[in-house]
Amino acid sequence: RRLNRIEYRNTIRDLTGYDFNSEAEFPPDDSGNGFDNNGDVLTLSPLLLEKYLAAAEVIVDQAVPKVAKVIRERKAVGRDFRAPGGRTGEQMNARNPITVSRSFKVDEADTYRVSIELELRGSFDFDSSRAQVICRIDGEERFVEEVVWQERKTLRHEYEIAWQPGDHVVSFEVVPLPPVDATPDEVASFQASKEAETVPTSGSAGTPARARARAPATHVSVRIASVQVRGPLSPELWIAPENHAQFFPKGPAPADPVARDAYARDVLGQFATRAFRRPVAPAQLDELVGLARGVYSQADTTFEVGVARAMMAILASPRFLFRLEEPEARYAKEAIAPIDEYSLASRLSYFLWSTMPDEELMQLAGRGGLRRELRTQVARMLKDERSQAFVRNFTGQWLQARDIESVPINARIVMGPSMPRNRDGRQDFDGAFRRLMRSETEMYFDYILREDRSVLELIESDYTFLNDKLAAFYGLPEVVGEEMQRVTLPPDSVRGGILTHGTVLAVTSNPTRTSPVKRGLFILENILGTPPPPAPPDVPDLEEAKKEFGGREPKLSEMLAVHRANPLCSSCHERMDPLGLALENFNALGAWRDTEAGQPIEPAGRLATGEPFADVRELKRVIVRDRKADVYHCLTEKLLTYALGRGLEYYDTYALDEITAKLEQADGKMSALLFGVIESAPFQSQRTQTAPVQVSHLGPAQPSKLESHP
């Protein structure tokens, strides 16, 4: 299957060091079986193919150097220039004298080019103030500019200077001058105040009355936009550009054509092997070197430009855009075969990191030792910060946590006057608050994963992750600090477990009210693994049930009771509604409440299998105590679906039951689930095809459709 947007972005980042925003540049990926890494829906449209070709050009242009040597550049901006009192050159007032400076250190005696750019800014109202701006380099005056009111103007100067090794100082001084329309008396007063070292400012005693009367609120300002030092300018002293060693580890290319081709083969072979996630075939490498040679052999074209062109072809190749898997060679003629270790390395890395295998995985695969060290490598990968991608992407889709950042909730209607507010008075369900909620869910899952806790703690626990703001919103005892932290909950707290997280409660609500139906459906689909069938056509809307209450505002539970009386609706709603109503004490944002529509909330109910519960606390206990086998089975199914990138089929049933049994034997330990998935037959094997397929060298060398199979 092809890489989805997140996998593409992460892979490009690890391959080239360039962060290409694929989520903005590419159309959204479809989801299948709840996940957007599902091969059945990751189609390749003509539009997306065009975007891949354009992206390859942009990425290589931004990441890969085009020359072997460049003039060294150092750049400073206004905030880098400082005065003794701490003020900077970011905004210097024409009415106040100031001198700011910065030093540049050079190591070679040579000629250097100093480029200076200043910006003059003024308010829309005319300001009569003016000043001199004096630039000095190593104490020598280089230019003097008189600045007056300008809405926006840029001043540029450039000098070539012979410097010796050491520090060289560039400074700027602002010297106020009398206003442009000053009278002779005001000029004399200004000079006298200057001689007395009294700075004339708006409203000060040293400012003439006429000048004070017309002094504007915003004055002419001078900003140091940039000072750039380029050099040494002698070509023999130029340096390798940034990232040159990353792509061209042996430095500049040799002059001999045969040696240049050998260097290109070495560079492109390493790059293509990493990009294709397996060694590149000799015939493919010949084509790539030929493509590069056709460019760098031209006059006035560098070796780097030719290699970069071949790298564009690599990033547009099906072997990069698609995760192509191959069987172990000795089993290639069998109908079902273990995948080879390069394919296994890719499955592991895209499962746990959402990106390409690193050097250690590739080396192990090359030696045929990855399967022998599988558990060691999984432990190493989970310690790597890239494993946060697994936490973020899996919880983001299984628990819909990523939807919290865009779900439409009208906080003003849901919370009313009790809505928490920021310091500036705005209602507090903004982007930052939504991200806090998502962080709670991600950190909670991450803690269970890394501490190897029981997966049943996803349903019920005595802890969660909060900061001061989220704890106050939940109505919990005070938490100190803005940092999210593990918090032990009070005895018999309604919180604890993902069902009471703000993420889950908000994404399963409507914009202005809760939705017991959505919440009940979420539990059936994502916790118990027993989703109801799709709703039949022509089902009446829930709001139509209001007609039965004669104008009185009914509770949702009353409306649902009327709705369930319809034979078309009763069978499904009998399963969903009690679960959703158990969460009715949480409003559409997840805050606790005791009443709804002015009436007490009644959360008691009964599972479809007969177990009664009084409230959300008892519901969680019933699920953990009596339905844990369903929880194990459902979570295993979700994780295996995510790991394989496809929906499960009838032939996966044995593997699914086997992993669930291991989870049961290990008292629900997360490690049993994770290793059960990774060591399972579906994860380790594929269905093979023996019919030969003729393809281009840069295309797939195996059939393009490979189906995982036990």
Side-chain angles (χ1 to χ4, degrees), residues 33 35 394 398-399 455-456 458-459 498 521-531 623 627-642 648 656-657 659-661 663 673 677:
N33 300 100
F35 299 100
F394 181 64
W398 169 46
L399 300 176
V455 299
L456 295 177
L458 291 165
I459 311 302
I498 56 176
L521 180 61
F522 176 90
I523 295 174
L524 290 176
E525 286 187 332
N526 297 292
I527 305 301
L528 298 176
T530 55
I623 292 175
R627 312 308 309 171
K628 69 178 180 179
D630 293 336
V631 175
Y632 290 159
H633 193 276
C634 180
L635 181 54
T636 300
E637 182 178 354
K638 297 295 182 182
L639 192 62
L640 190 58
T641 299
Y642 177 80
L648 302 188
L656 187 59
D657 292 343
I659 300 169
T660 303
L663 194 55
L673 173 62
V677 167

Side-chain angles (χ1 to χ4, degrees), residues 384-520:
D384 193 290
E385 63 180 9
R386 283 171 288 187
S387 63
Q388 286 298 321
F390 166 60
V391 174
R392 187 169 183 82
N393 295 328
F394 181 64
T395 61
Q397 297 178 84
W398 169 46
L399 300 176
Q400 303 171 27
R402 69 182 183 182
D403 296 344
I404 187 64
E405 297 191 31
S406 59
V407 62
I409 298 288
N410 191 322
R412 182 175 300 177
I413 293 177
V414 172
M415 296 297 297
S418 63
M419 182 68 194
R421 296 179 180 272
N422 285 319
R423 292 188 181 92
D424 60 5
R426 291 185 296 106
Q427 287 190 333
D428 208 8
F429 193 59
D430 56 7
F433 193 74
R434 291 170 181 252
R435 287 189 290 274
L436 282 179
M437 287 184 166
R438 181 172 184 177
S439 293
E440 177 191 14
T441 301
E442 291 175 351
M443 293 176 73
Y444 188 86
F445 181 86
D446 185 78
Y447 177 78
I448 292 174
L449 171 68
R450 300 187 193 283
E451 296 296 322
D452 198 17
R453 313 280 293 191
S454 169
V455 299
L456 295 177
E457 291 185 16
L458 291 165
I459 311 302
E460 183 184 32
S461 73
D462 63 352
Y463 62 88
T464 190
F465 288 80
L466 307 168
N467 71 349
D468 52 358
K469 184 181 292 186
L470 196 55
F473 180 75
Y474 283 169
L476 293 171
E478 183 179 359
V479 173
V480 179
E482 296 182 356
E483 294 295 321
M484 295 290 286
Q485 54 198 275
R486 185 183 184 278
V487 175
T488 300
L489 298 169
D492 208 31
S493 172
V494 296
R495 303 288 174 175
I498 56 176
L499 296 182
T500 59
H501 286 189
T503 47
V504 171
L505 294 166
V507 301
T508 54
S509 295
N510 290 330
T512 59
R513 63 167 176 82
T514 60
S515 175
V517 175
K518 288 182 180 179
R519 289 177 174 179

Side-chain angles (χ1 to χ4, degrees), residues 87 92-98 174-176 199-202 219:
R87 293 165 61 192
M92 301 180 290
N93 196 306
R95 292 175 177 261
N96 297 317
I98 187 175
V174 175
V175 181
V199 180
T201 58
S202 176
H219 306 312

Side-chain angles (χ1 to χ4, degrees), residues 141-158:
E141 189 175 289
R142 289 290 174 169
F143 69 81
V144 178
E145 291 275 1
E146 183 175 315
V147 299
V148 295
W149 182 88
Q150 297 277 351
E151 188 173 336
R152 186 177 290 271
K153 183 179 180 180
T154 301
L155 304 176
R156 294 183 176 88
H157 295 271
E158 190 170 273

Side-chain angles (χ1 to χ4, degrees), residues 577-633:
D577 292 358
L579 297 172
L581 290 171
L583 301 173
E584 192 64 3
N585 282 110
F586 301 98
N587 69 15
L589 287 175
W592 182 262
R593 61 181 182 173
D594 293 307
T595 62
E596 191 246 332
Q599 303 176 62
I601 291 173
E602 300 172 359
R606 184 182 298 271
L607 295 183
T609 47
E611 298 91 339
F613 54 85
D615 56 17
V616 66
R617 286 177 287 247
E618 284 199 9
L619 171 61
K620 292 189 292 184
R621 291 168 192 155
V622 166
I623 292 175
V624 168
R625 184 187 66 230
D626 300 329
R627 312 308 309 171
K628 69 178 180 179
D630 293 336
V631 175
Y632 290 159
H633 193 276

